[in-house]
Amino acid sequence: MDNNRTKREIIQLVESRRITSEEGFQRLKELRRKQADVQTAGKRERLFFSPVWQESIPGSIEKSASIAGNVLIFADNKASIAGISEKLKGDSGGSNIRIVSVFAGEKYEKRDTDTFAINPKSRDDYRSLFTTLRKDRGVPGHILHLRSKDPFESDESLIKKQMGISFFSVFHLCQELLEQKIQGTIQILYFYSGSTEKRQPLFSALSGFFKALRMENPHVAGRTIALSDWNEIPEIVSDELKILNREDICYRDGKRLTLRLAEFHLETDAPKSMLFKQRGVYLITGGAGGLGLAISEHIVKQV
């Protein structure tokens, strides 16, 4: 619609006295309202974004020169650490890196110089661990969490177990890092079994936790990394510890994928499974805003 032409036509109608000035004013007012609706609709459409996995080539990403200092690894057994330790020490020449292993146990225990056991659910055990590390060779600059090899399960008892070894473990870990008031950036890489086809609620929550933590303390840089093949982990760890950005990652079929936001159109991109029930009741918080109104209109169109 050519708004300028329409305005001229209305003015001509008034000038030729084919309509009254009052009627012309009302038509111009209605024209302006329709124009505003079109502009607002366009803005609403651009407000929708959806997370999408996109290939990210490691060679094009900013990296640090090398890995040095202490690397703290939370794992289930020594076998899962052996390949990583060999790879990292090989890359660094073996002289500038120290691997500290932490396994699950009943309570805090220092088994040898570089091996500890803690109860993952015990806040005090994390305090004891970092107190010892600080007195010994210093707090690590890199932390790997490798205790989520089992895929996510929806069974309630299994969820509680997974929460203990994953979310609460990371929560207690980060609490201690903040209380230690450590200088410099500490990198946390959280690995779990996953894919791009299905988001896993527990690990998505961890991703959100890391983002919120970063806003509170930018010195703690946490990322989640989904793996389909854990045999690739030594090579992946070596690469990811050098990468400076803080995006969530998924490795699938030998490709490195990054989770990014892409524009999303409700009318064309929404999955067919997003069905709304006839005569259903839906609560939309913030419904008076532009986004709430757009979602309300979409639901009405579907039912």
Side-chain angles (χ1 to χ4, degrees), residues 165-181:
I165 65 174
S166 58
F167 192 89
F168 291 123
S169 173
V170 171
F171 182 71
H172 293 321
L173 168 64
C174 292
Q175 273 188 316
E176 188 57 34
L177 290 175
L178 294 178
E179 287 194 8
Q180 291 281 335
K181 297 180 180 179

Side-chain angles (χ1 to χ4, degrees), residues 259-301:
L259 190 62
R260 294 173 179 165
L261 291 177
E263 193 171 351
F264 179 83
H265 300 274
L266 277 177
E267 301 299 332
T268 57
D269 297 337
K272 301 301 181 183
S273 58
M274 279 182 61
L275 300 178
F276 298 98
K277 294 180 180 180
Q278 291 286 342
R279 303 181 65 82
V281 178
Y282 299 93
L283 174 64
I284 301 175
T285 59
L291 185 58
L293 180 59
I295 293 174
S296 301
E297 290 175 347
H298 175 71
I299 294 176
V300 170
K301 290 178 181 178

Side-chain angles (χ1 to χ4, degrees), residues 39 142 144 157 177 213 220 247 251 253 275:
Q39 293 174 345
H142 309 283
L144 308 178
S157 61
L177 290 175
L213 179 64
V220 181
E247 299 172 312
Y251 279 87
D253 301 328
L275 300 178

